[in-house]
Amino acid sequence: MKKIALVLMLLCAVTIRAQQVPSGSKWYNGSVIYDATTLAGGKIEMNAMAEGEELGFLLVPMAEKGTYRVTESPKGYLMEFNEVTTARLRQKDGWDVLCFYDANKQLLSAMQKTSQDDAQKMNVAQLLQQVMGQYSMNGQEVTINWEVFTVGGVTKPFKVETFNGLALNVITVKDSGTALDGTWEVEFTKPGLKLHQINYSEGAFMWDRTGKSLNLIESVPSVGRFFFASTTLLNGPLGRYDKSLLRLMRNAIMARHGYTFQSADLKQYFGAEPWYHPAASNSEVKLSFIEELNVELIKHQEAQ
């Protein structure tokens, strides 16, 4: 009996540790990477660097395991949260996500645990996940993959432009001999992407549109729009979308699991998608862990 009790105590200890933010761990919030340091009393100090400015906040353990009260850094670092009151470590499906809630327990933002040191690479990766796909452009097939595209049988690289470590909605294609040559601002649209050609103004330190644009219509009926919203945590890119697209993205997550819609426009939109198969009952609709979080994050962004 003593051996069994000891084993149970050890298992409980392992569970408790797994429900705490480990010292030395790294957390990506969609733009920068925070480092976690354990202080006395189980408090966790979170620090990051953004554009030469120190960011930081303190996680103070609460009674519920893995739940923290969020307060200002004892070092006086800039705190990025305004309405956040609590944070909760949620672990499922191989993900470790630190979720931040307001006083009404609404999810405002989230950080994912990472082994990556380069926030800019993660920024670029998030943008690439949103633009990758197969499209039709003026009758030509365009395929966008990881930093390369193919159009008219020609495969060439492209570059995601960044500023102070943040990925811009801007890509540059050089000497490809295709219609995509140039620098383009990426606009996310209901059917796909709209590329606005831009030039950099040295005097004004800004990009100016030239007036030329290209429409890329997504053309993968078996996958459909916003597939990335079911596979990656949307803790950074939602500000790139207008309210109508956010609504469509949120419901696309539900549609992938056969959710039956009441709104006429959603019925029509998803009813035309070959991958959409309504479930017998909405009670059968089960989202993945990341999909659940993304639905909450999208709802918060829609309300802004």
Side-chain angles (χ1 to χ4, degrees):
M1 290 296 292
K2 288 184 178 180
K3 288 183 178 180
I4 294 174
L6 180 60
V7 169
L8 289 174
M9 289 175 64
L10 289 172
L11 286 173
C12 287
V14 170
T15 301
I16 291 171
R17 281 197 295 271
Q19 292 176 326
Q20 295 175 337
V21 174
S23 187
S25 56
K26 298 179 182 296
W27 300 83
Y28 177 65
N29 75 340
S31 58
V32 298
I33 295 174
Y34 277 82
D35 294 299
T37 303
T38 301
L39 305 179
K43 296 177 181 178
I44 307 292
E45 187 176 27
M46 304 288 284
N47 294 110
M49 182 70 71
E51 300 182 25
E53 177 118 40
E54 287 272 12
L55 304 178
F57 59 92
L58 196 65
L59 298 175
V60 181
M62 300 177 70
E64 184 181 353
K65 295 183 182 70
T67 302
Y68 301 88
R69 182 165 50 87
V70 181
T71 67
E72 293 184 0
S73 167
K75 297 178 181 177
Y77 294 149
L78 182 66
M79 183 171 170
E80 64 173 309
F81 304 114
N82 292 321
E83 302 174 16
V84 166
T85 59
T86 58
R88 180 185 170 199
L89 177 60
R90 300 179 64 179
Q91 299 167 304
K92 192 175 180 180
D93 300 339
W95 290 82
D96 287 18
V97 182
L98 192 57
C99 298
F100 296 86
Y101 301 89
D102 64 12
N104 297 318
K105 298 184 178 180
Q106 292 181 321
L107 180 63
L108 303 187
S109 60
M111 295 182 183
Q112 65 190 81
K113 189 179 177 184
T114 180
S115 59
Q116 177 66 260
D117 289 316
D118 192 336
Q120 179 170 298
K121 283 185 177 180
M122 298 190 73
N123 269 265
V124 170
Q126 281 189 326
L127 181 63
L128 289 173
Q129 287 167 339
Q130 295 165 76
V131 301
M132 288 193 305
Q134 293 181 11
Y135 304 89
S136 172
M137 180 186 69
N138 297 327
Q140 280 189 308
E141 183 177 303
V142 178
T143 301
I144 301 179
N145 287 317
W146 202 266
E147 296 184 312
V148 298
F149 73 92
T150 301
V151 57
V154 177
T155 299
K156 292 290 182 177
F158 68 88
K159 176 187 177 184
V160 174
E161 301 291 346
T162 61
F163 178 75
N164 284 338
L166 293 176
L168 304 176
N169 284 16
V170 175
I171 62 173
T172 296
V173 179
K174 291 185 177 180
D175 304 321
S176 70
T178 72
L180 290 175
D181 272 349
T183 299
W184 307 87
E185 178 187 352
V186 181
E187 178 187 353
F188 296 94
T189 64
K190 186 175 180 179
L193 307 173
K194 187 168 187 177
L195 304 182
H196 302 275
Q197 191 174 56
I198 54 178
N199 289 326
Y200 185 69
S201 173
E202 295 287 350
F205 300 103
M206 62 184 297
W207 300 95
D208 292 319
R209 291 185 181 182
T210 65
K212 180 181 178 180
S213 62
L214 299 172
N215 286 303
L216 276 64
I217 309 302
E218 199 159 41
S219 59
V220 187
S222 61
V223 176
R225 199 81 174 86
F226 308 118
F227 181 75
F228 60 86
S230 292
T231 60
T232 185
L233 181 64
L234 301 177
N235 62 347
L238 293 178
R240 298 183 174 123
Y241 298 87
D242 65 27
K243 191 170 183 176
S244 64
L245 286 179
L246 288 169
R247 176 174 176 263
L248 201 60
M249 185 191 304
R250 171 170 53 82
N251 284 288
I253 295 174
M254 308 294 293
R256 294 194 183 282
H257 299 275
Y259 188 88
T260 300
F261 299 97
Q262 300 301 315
S263 300
D265 62 327
L266 295 177
K267 276 186 177 181
Q268 181 179 12
Y269 180 83
F270 292 111
E273 295 291 330
W275 52 264
Y276 176 61
H277 304 288
S281 169
N282 283 344
S283 63
E284 298 178 7
V285 173
K286 304 295 181 185
L287 304 185
S288 72
F289 173 57
I290 287 302
E291 287 175 326
E292 289 177 354
L293 293 180
N294 283 342
V295 166
E296 292 185 66
L297 289 169
I298 294 170
K299 282 183 178 179
H300 171 64
Q301 185 65 35
E302 283 180 275
Q304 301 307 300

